[in-house]
Amino acid sequence: MTDIAAGGERGEIKHAPAGTKERSLTTSLSTSSLAVLIAVVVGGLIMLFSGENPLTAYGAMLDGAFGSKFALGETLSRAAPLAIVGYGTAVALRAGLITIGAQGQVVAGAIGALLTAQFFETAPSSVAIPAAAIGGAIFGMAWVLIPALLRAYFSVNEILSTLLFTEFAALLIEYLLNNPLKPPTAITPQSDPYPDNGILGLVIDGTRFHTGIFAAVIIGLAFIWWVRSDRGFSYDLYGENPNLAQSLGISSNRVIINSLLISGATAGLVGWIQAAGLLQRVYVGIASDIGFFGLVVAFLGGATAGGVLVAALLFGALQAGGLAMQSSEGIPASLSDIIQALLLLGFSIRYAPQIIRLTRGVMANFTLVGRRRR
């Protein structure tokens, strides 16, 4: 995994001695494999002491994650939203900001996508689908706009404000799905079915692999372009050294607002994907834990394109495999959560230097309420 301050280290990487990158990659792979191995062994011991057969459990988990086309589709359908949120969150992290409001932005995006799709219900799919995607992204951006402005102009800490708006989103969707958006015949809180012309079709029949998953690829490529662009470099510089960045003419307000809006847009897109592709209606729990896991994925991936993708696939496989393990073997899916926690701990230790560097950049800008930056 590359360092977070890729822009500031491009010269070092470019002029590194021959073989340095190969040795670094070998070391990274070996220590990462060791982290996985330790997590697997400790998880197996926990299963053993719980009266479960570790080999049976792990076999069921692997089969549930990769053993069939349905399993693979399930893994990808869970990993794609995590990757998209992770990429958006990574933009903010690289700028020295931490947003934990993706959960609420996913909810806002799902509502926005549904309302947009209902507005374009009679339009061709070629119009309705991109319109709903844009609607979801705009609602996600709108949900983070006030925290972004508060952070930029009044130095109100974005962690607190985005968390508060996540609670607002939970209250809003509960109200909407119990009142104006709830069908008269529905017993539980939910919306009407998603309009047919806006549904994201399946790529492989018999799975949950829908076309919305490809959005993760598009967002990932856009993230790579962003990191390598001059604008992305300026945001990295601001995250590493705000004073130096401002002395070079980089506007702190622009960096703060734009990076948080980007993170909101990606989370809003996930709300659209969940509503139009996976669930095909809106439920109270549509965001699940995607927003919070997306932050974990961004941190664990070091806010890099490859790291975010690998972390998202890992957690997607563990989630899909854990549910399959419970259904096929009767082994509690909570054991999968324990393994996820162990893997997270192992990788956190492995990538401690990168995470510390990332955290330092964020904490350098940390304030509850202070003077406005100019």
Side-chain angles (χ1 to χ4, degrees), residues 16 66 111 144 171 195 197 205 224 228 247 251 257 266 299 307 363 370:
F66 305 108
I111 295 171
V144 77
L171 295 173
N197 65 333
D205 291 335
I224 293 173
R228 296 180 177 181
S247 70
S251 170
I257 294 173
T266 55
F299 258 114
M363 294 307 294

Side-chain angles (χ1 to χ4, degrees), residues 148-156 238 243 246 251-254 256-257 365 367-374:
L149 294 174
L150 289 175
R151 177 64 175 84
Y153 291 101
F154 301 100
S155 295
V156 176
Y238 180 84
N243 293 329
Q246 291 177 79
S251 170
S252 63
N253 289 350
R254 180 177 298 175
I256 291 168
I257 294 173
N365 291 326
T367 180
L368 292 178
V369 179
R371 293 181 299 176
R372 170 188 169 184
R373 290 186 183 276
R374 297 186 181 274

